[in-house]
Amino acid sequence: MRLVVARCSVDYVGRLTAHLDPAVRLLMVKADGSVLVHADGGSYKPLNWMSPPCRLSEADGRWTVENKAGERLLITLDEVLHDSSHDLGADPGLIKDGVEAHLQALLAEHVGTLGEGWTLVRREYPTPIGPVDLMCRDGGPTIEVGPAPTGDGSPIARAGYVAVEVKRRASIDAVEQLTRYLDYLNRDPLLFPVAGVLAAQNIAPQARTLAQTRGIRCVVLDYDRLRGIEVDGTLF
């Protein structure tokens, strides 16, 4: 990342025009190619910026930042007070309490939350379009299914498999994602039939309706109970 503190004026030319009179500002050039102009106020939001992909050229105290659409950010440097570059390396990302990865791990430990006798087959079960969060068996009696999608068409006996998608907040997109996973999983004669469960702390009403029309069960997760924290005088 390059950091430049300079007295500068800024003009934006594109779908609209904008102008910043000369003042001391912080110019940030990130490794992804974005250029941001910050003041010493306004919290995190820059006064102006150009998102990648864009190209920065410097000549005669002037920066010209142009994107593929031909929009330009013109920065005129009157006085440069500081100019330095720093390699920040790879960022591990923000880890929040209760995000999907943690919910997934907790639910894998307490898969009985989804039903009596349920067992975990695998976390991050692979499919051609990405991994399903949890693959489980529902603990019910062995059933005869058939004909399978491939084979000689004779019935086969198997305990029920269930694909579980875990979200913090589930929207219609989550239902679509799980539907795609189920489509691929049910093409596997060793798994067929695979049911679906959408498990989340919060499920949007539209997502619940769509899930029900597709035969997907919705489960609302209690994060505190999964962690074993006392709630209303009881433990999970």
Side-chain angles (χ1 to χ4, degrees):
M1 177 184 290
R2 182 181 177 188
L3 303 175
V4 177
V5 179
R7 179 174 295 277
C8 62
S9 58
V10 182
D11 292 279
Y12 182 85
V13 181
R15 289 168 293 178
L16 51 83
T17 58
H19 174 75
L20 295 172
D21 286 331
V24 176
R25 299 184 175 96
L26 170 64
L27 310 177
M28 299 175 62
V29 183
K30 294 187 176 182
D32 63 5
S34 57
V35 178
L36 304 95
V37 181
H38 282 275
D40 198 17
S43 186
Y44 65 91
K45 187 175 181 180
L47 298 172
N48 217 324
W49 68 94
M50 185 71 76
S51 301
C54 58
R55 180 173 57 87
L56 168 63
S57 59
E58 301 178 50
D60 301 325
R62 187 172 191 175
W63 290 12
T64 301
V65 188
E66 186 171 358
N67 63 17
K68 292 196 297 184
E71 298 171 315
R72 292 180 298 159
L73 188 65
L74 307 175
I75 304 173
T76 302
L77 306 177
D78 298 324
E79 180 184 8
V80 176
L81 306 174
H82 175 85
D83 189 344
S84 63
S85 297
H86 308 271
D87 183 2
L88 303 186
D91 192 278
L94 179 65
I95 300 175
K96 298 180 181 178
D97 184 35
V99 294
E100 292 167 14
H102 196 197
L103 280 172
Q104 182 192 129
L106 286 170
L107 191 58
E109 293 175 6
H110 304 288
V111 72
T113 302
L114 301 174
E116 185 177 354
W118 279 48
T119 57
L120 176 69
V121 175
R122 178 176 170 177
R123 290 180 59 185
E124 301 291 335
Y125 192 93
T127 79
I129 56 173
V132 176
D133 290 334
L134 305 177
M135 178 64 82
C136 303
R137 293 185 186 229
D138 63 13
T142 300
I143 58 175
E144 278 198 350
V145 296
T150 61
D152 60 7
S154 59
I156 53 177
R158 180 176 300 120
Y161 285 95
V162 186
V164 182
E165 187 65 22
V166 183
K167 298 291 184 185
R168 192 174 186 185
R169 296 181 179 87
S171 64
I172 286 178
D173 288 343
V175 181
E176 296 289 359
Q177 180 182 7
L178 181 53
T179 299
R180 292 191 294 269
Y181 289 150
L182 290 171
D183 178 60
Y184 276 95
L185 291 168
N186 276 302
R187 298 178 191 180
D188 187 339
L190 298 179
L191 296 176
F192 176 83
V194 183
V197 169
L198 180 61
Q201 287 181 278
N202 180 273
I203 302 175
Q206 301 92 332
R208 184 181 295 275
T209 299
L210 180 60
Q212 290 171 347
T213 63
R214 295 182 178 179
I216 294 172
R217 177 183 161 210
C218 293
V219 176
V220 176
L221 301 176
D222 187 322
Y223 181 56
D224 287 335
R225 287 184 181 276
L226 284 173
R227 291 190 297 168
I229 294 178
E230 186 173 344
V231 180
D232 297 329
T234 63
L235 290 175
F236 170 79

